[in-house]
Amino acid sequence: VPAVDTFTLPYGSCHDGRRRYVGVRLGEQVLDLASALPTFEPLLRNGTLDGLLAAGRAAWTQVRRALLDFAADPDQRHLRPLRDVQLRMPFSVADYVDFYASEHHVRNVARVLRPQVDPLPANWKHLPAGYHGRSGTVLVSGTPVTRPSGLRRVGDDVEFGPTQRLDFEAEVGFVVGTPAPSGRVPVSAFADHVFGLCLVNDWSARDIQAYESVPLGPFLGKSFATSISPWVVPLDALAEARCAPPPRDVPVAGYLEDAGAGPDGFDLELEVRLNGVPISRPPFRSMYWTPAQMLAHLGVNGAAIRTGDLYASGTVSGPDPGQFGCLLELPQDGPEQVRLPDGSRRRFLLDGDEVVISASAPGPDGSRLDLGAVAGRIQPAPSGS
Amino acid sequence: VPAVDTFTLPYGSCHDGRRRYVGVRLGEQVLDLASALPTFEPLLRNGTLDGLLAAGRAAWTQVRRALLDFAADPDQRHLRPLRDVQLRMPFSVADYVDFYASEHHVRNVARVLRPQVDPLPANWKHLPAGYHGRSGTVLVSGTPVTRPSGLRRVGDDVEFGPTQRLDFEAEVGFVVGTPAPSGRVPVSAFADHVFGLCLVNDWSARDIQAYESVPLGPFLGKSFATSISPWVVPLDALAEARCAPPPRDVPVAGYLEDAGAGPDGFDLELEVRLNGVPISRPPFRSMYWTPAQMLAHLGVNGAAIRTGDLYASGTVSGPDPGQFGCLLELPQDGPEQVRLPDGSRRRFLLDGDEVVISASAPGPDGSRLDLGAVAGRIQPAPSGS
């Protein structure tokens, strides 16, 4: 029996068949937050994190302090077995933005697709590149993902049909609590606005994406589904996981400057499993841009930032084989293709495949925190599409 | 005194200083819908169109029929002077998508920026290109628009500062009522899902956009503000405005095929005024892709379509001078630059400039329907940005 994790204390939206409520995970049990700590009931009214997110940093600290007290001596009356709990979307997603912040991901993909050209776009080290995704198709972990259909190039023709290049992208998402109507969130104010993080699988149809994305960027190749982990890990649990970002080789504008802002990176270790088999361990600490820089960039044009905004890091990848964050980074052929124990290979995902992205991080006293997982299984395209 | 328009009957969210309510415009008066027609009060509860949008086509027809009866013999007790009414955001925007559906716009811009290359991207006539925008910065007409700051190329350098190339884009937006959880809305089912239309100004910072948009498309160059007209015109008012789209020269996939689907275009005449001076009359009937095709494309990958989704046409432009839908289409120099009566010229917008985009359409018995207007005035960038 593993020791109960009484420190991470992630938040989720739970359902017991009759009622939706905000739950907090304690190992293999779930705490009914409003029942255990009725003082906070006004923040928890619709059974999602929406009210808590809007309440701001001071309330988050208060709730967590009370939870740490509870966890030190838990009253079993407020706990339920995790296996009896249905997990729902933890919060209402306002706007969803996806960044592109891993230099290794950009280089790994370029090596496969465009080996002859400079892998980094000219602007890449001047700003954290990003784009808006579809908030209406952000799905909670476990929701089946249907293979999308779309237009793709086949030889010299354009054909409509189910994607032949369905991929995952292992990412980390950041959940905004405190809004910023002016849009302006200095790098140093990151923790005042961001409540916590979740794991993200930004499913991608590479053939649809490749055909559509000049000049307006990714659209239908991404918008069919983005899965997130059901448990949102509060930033407060991740003090030991903060680390320095990699050295930057290009000076940045003042609003992105983070020298002296403290260790703004996160030392998270992701793991990707395909049909139960570990196939990759992407290291989040190698991300070129930090989540604080992404948020500072997002609103520097004055775009209002709202409670429930979700922004994801982009694919997390490392420089080495075994650290890729998506299948697109693998060579077209050759030994680096994913091989499963049953002898089958994967260039891209097949119907029935299940992808689970999990993560861990350093905790207090040398412990290791479990940051949960996001899972999804591919269903075949509907017939006739 | 102009005749009261008792036919268009557009819907808006009104406030009288005490209370928010759904109003219907009757010329220079506003009808308090729930007070005049209490049967429909359950659809109008939060004073926005959200409930009415979700109620679906049968309810929309019922409400409009009752409104036409009311307008034929209006009871003055339920009417208020338009000048006393504050207009708010008419509905809660779920996801916002911006298309790029005018061939003339693409060609006009290419002529200015890239005269040496083929103006149409290779995929342009195979699909209505689009991308997701920021729903949190969709603003109701009249909201001031602050000049955004961002990174832009200045000579060989990259500099941060207020945009020097602030532009408008005259567009038409379509408001989804009935959701489509499967995403799939055949071209023929357009009117079952779309409640009506509004006018859109997709403000654009051309220098920020140019610097950031390779490879992920427009982001901060657009996301600071998108203004919409406060009155949503129901499709039911636009039967006389339907027209055939322009001839297509490239065959399309089955889900985009609209031969035989009836006249799926809209014969709307837009007008752009800058500081009160008419500067352009973009013709919506020349759009290559129809709103029905845009919606069919949006969800063909299975992306759920929700009540409150807003999608805009992209800049509406004609082939002739005087039909441009944005300033970017004007030559860099020369006589086609916008000249105002005070002798000043505009290449791009200055602080203090006001842009008003209005539109009209054919109505019954040779009448002309006023489709309202979207207005916005530019405020200077905050100091220090």
Side-chain angles (χ1 to χ4, degrees):
Chain A
V1 180
V4 173
D5 178 352
T6 56
F7 184 77
T8 312
L9 300 172
Y11 300 82
S13 179
C14 304
H15 207 284
D16 62 10
R18 289 177 306 112
R19 198 173 69 83
R20 192 168 179 174
Y21 62 95
V22 174
V24 175
R25 184 172 174 182
L26 271 159
E28 296 307 304
Q29 292 188 298
V30 173
L31 165 67
D32 180 335
L33 182 47
S35 122
L37 302 169
T39 327
F40 300 115
E41 196 272 334
L43 305 182
L44 308 167
R45 287 234 163 103
N46 69 355
T48 73
L49 306 191
D50 295 352
L52 182 62
L53 292 178
R57 172 57 55 198
W60 306 336
T61 303
Q62 250 190 314
V63 173
R64 183 167 164 86
R65 201 168 290 149
L67 279 171
L68 286 166
D69 286 347
F70 179 94
D73 180 19
D75 178 342
Q76 289 293 327
R77 287 175 305 170
H78 304 297
L79 293 169
R80 291 145 198 215
L82 177 61
R83 64 170 180 276
D84 295 345
V85 170
Q86 302 163 32
L87 290 160
R88 301 285 169 90
M89 266 297 289
F91 61 99
S92 306
V93 181
D95 272 297
Y96 168 56
V97 168
D98 193 27
F99 282 94
Y100 187 54
S102 162
E103 182 174 353
H104 300 300
H105 169 62
V106 179
R107 291 188 182 279
N108 294 348
V109 170
R111 195 172 298 130
V112 174
L113 299 187
R114 294 174 293 275
Q116 68 289 3
V117 302
D118 187 354
L120 287 187
N123 59 15
W124 198 88
K125 292 199 167 178
H126 290 276
L127 52 76
Y131 66 99
H132 284 92
R134 189 164 184 82
S135 57
T137 49
V138 177
L139 309 170
V140 72
S141 176
T143 310
V145 171
T146 302
R147 179 179 297 273
S149 292
L151 291 169
R152 54 214 159 74
R153 188 161 281 290
V154 180
D156 287 340
D157 294 330
V158 181
E159 287 183 9
F160 177 79
T163 176
Q164 302 302 304
R165 296 180 164 242
L166 185 55
D167 203 351
F168 62 84
E169 288 193 339
E171 308 196 7
V172 178
F174 297 85
V175 182
V176 173
T178 312
S182 76
R184 297 201 173 73
V185 179
V187 163
S188 59
F190 168 71
D192 296 334
H193 292 270
V194 170
F195 173 79
L197 59 78
C198 58
L199 303 175
V200 176
N201 185 341
D202 182 36
W203 304 95
S204 300
R206 300 302 185 185
D207 41 6
I208 298 172
Q209 184 186 350
Y211 183 64
E212 73 184 352
S213 66
V214 173
L216 299 180
F219 185 39
L220 301 193
K222 299 279 194 171
S223 67
F224 57 98
T226 305
S227 301
I228 67 170
S229 57
W231 296 107
V232 178
V233 177
L235 284 193
D236 280 335
L238 296 167
E240 305 288 332
R242 303 307 292 262
C243 65
R248 276 55 170 276
D249 18 37
V250 172
V252 293
Y255 75 94
L256 292 170
E257 185 56 69
D258 64 355
D264 266 358
F266 285 87
D267 181 16
L268 318 178
E269 190 74 27
L270 277 60
E271 182 181 73
V272 182
R273 277 171 289 158
L274 175 57
N275 299 337
V277 180
I279 59 169
S280 178
R281 295 185 70 85
F284 194 81
R285 70 174 300 141
S286 70
M287 301 299 277
Y288 189 87
W289 297 102
T290 68
Q293 290 174 314
M294 296 176 208
L295 186 59
H297 186 61
L298 188 48
V300 76
N301 65 347
I305 290 167
R306 295 182 292 175
T307 299
D309 280 352
L310 171 68
Y311 63 96
S313 60
T315 306
V316 182
S317 298
D320 301 325
Q323 295 184 315
F324 57 87
C326 64
L327 293 171
L328 185 65
E329 295 178 27
L330 298 174
Q332 292 285 131
D333 298 297
E336 293 90 347
Q337 254 197 359
V338 171
R339 285 164 193 265
L340 297 178
D342 65 3
S344 66
R345 295 186 186 198
R346 289 293 182 283
R347 175 69 188 116
F348 290 102
L349 298 172
L350 302 182
D351 292 344
D353 278 352
E354 187 190 45
V355 178
V356 178
I357 300 163
S358 58
S360 66
D365 307 320
S367 65
R368 197 86 205 149
L369 307 181
D370 173 2
L371 306 186
V374 53
R377 188 182 293 278
I378 307 303
Q379 288 186 330
S383 61
S385 72
Chain B
V1 180
V4 172
D5 179 352
T6 56
F7 185 78
T8 311
L9 301 173
Y11 300 81
S13 179
C14 305
H15 207 285
D16 62 11
R18 291 176 305 113
R19 198 174 68 84
R20 192 168 180 175
Y21 62 95
V22 174
V24 175
R25 185 171 174 182
L26 270 159
E28 295 307 305
Q29 293 188 298
V30 173
L31 164 67
D32 180 335
L33 182 47
S35 120
L37 302 169
T39 328
F40 300 115
E41 196 273 332
L43 305 181
L44 308 167
R45 287 236 164 101
N46 68 355
T48 73
L49 306 191
D50 295 352
L52 182 61
L53 292 178
R57 172 57 55 196
W60 306 338
T61 302
Q62 249 191 313
V63 174
R64 183 166 164 86
R65 201 168 290 152
L67 279 171
L68 286 166
D69 286 347
F70 179 94
D73 180 20
D75 178 344
Q76 288 294 326
R77 288 175 305 171
H78 304 297
L79 293 169
R80 290 146 199 215
L82 176 61
R83 64 172 181 276
D84 293 346
V85 170
Q86 301 165 31
L87 290 161
R88 302 284 170 88
M89 266 297 288
F91 62 98
S92 307
V93 181
D95 272 297
Y96 168 54
V97 168
D98 193 26
F99 283 94
Y100 187 53
S102 162
E103 182 175 354
H104 300 299
H105 169 62
V106 179
R107 291 188 181 278
N108 294 347
V109 170
R111 196 172 298 132
V112 174
L113 299 186
R114 294 174 294 275
Q116 66 290 2
V117 302
D118 187 356
L120 287 187
N123 58 15
W124 199 89
K125 291 201 168 178
H126 290 276
L127 53 77
Y131 66 99
H132 282 93
R134 190 164 183 81
S135 57
T137 49
V138 178
L139 309 171
V140 72
S141 176
T143 310
V145 171
T146 302
R147 180 178 295 274
S149 292
L151 291 169
R152 56 215 157 75
R153 187 161 281 290
V154 180
D156 287 342
D157 293 330
V158 181
E159 288 183 9
F160 177 79
T163 176
Q164 302 302 303
R165 296 180 164 241
L166 185 55
D167 203 352
F168 62 83
E169 289 193 337
E171 307 196 6
V172 177
F174 296 85
V175 182
V176 173
T178 312
S182 75
R184 297 200 172 75
V185 179
V187 163
S188 60
F190 168 71
D192 296 334
H193 293 270
V194 169
F195 172 79
L197 58 78
C198 59
L199 303 175
V200 176
N201 186 340
D202 182 37
W203 304 95
S204 300
R206 300 303 184 183
D207 42 6
I208 298 172
Q209 183 186 350
Y211 183 63
E212 75 185 350
S213 66
V214 173
L216 298 180
F219 185 40
L220 301 192
K222 301 278 195 172
S223 67
F224 57 97
T226 305
S227 302
I228 66 169
S229 56
W231 296 106
V232 178
V233 177
L235 284 193
D236 281 335
L238 296 166
E240 305 288 333
R242 304 307 292 263
C243 64
R248 278 55 170 278
D249 19 37
V250 172
V252 292
Y255 75 95
L256 292 170
E257 185 56 68
D258 63 356
D264 265 358
F266 285 88
D267 181 16
L268 318 177
E269 189 74 28
L270 276 61
E271 182 182 71
V272 182
R273 277 172 289 157
L274 175 57
N275 298 336
V277 179
I279 59 168
S280 178
R281 297 184 69 85
F284 194 81
R285 70 173 300 141
S286 70
M287 301 298 278
Y288 190 87
W289 297 102
T290 68
Q293 289 174 316
M294 296 176 207
L295 186 58
H297 185 62
L298 188 47
V300 75
N301 65 346
I305 290 167
R306 294 182 293 174
T307 298
D309 280 352
L310 170 68
Y311 63 97
S313 59
T315 306
V316 182
S317 297
D320 301 324
Q323 296 184 315
F324 58 87
C326 65
L327 293 171
L328 184 64
E329 295 178 28
L330 298 174
Q332 291 287 128
D333 297 298
E336 293 88 348
Q337 253 197 1
V338 171
R339 285 163 192 264
L340 297 178
D342 66 3
S344 66
R345 296 187 187 197
R346 290 293 181 284
R347 175 68 188 116
F348 290 103
L349 299 172
L350 302 182
D351 292 346
D353 279 352
E354 186 190 46
V355 178
V356 178
I357 300 163
S358 57
S360 65
D365 307 319
S367 65
R368 197 85 205 150
L369 307 181
D370 173 2
L371 305 186
V374 53
R377 188 182 294 279
I378 307 303
Q379 289 186 329
S383 61
S385 73

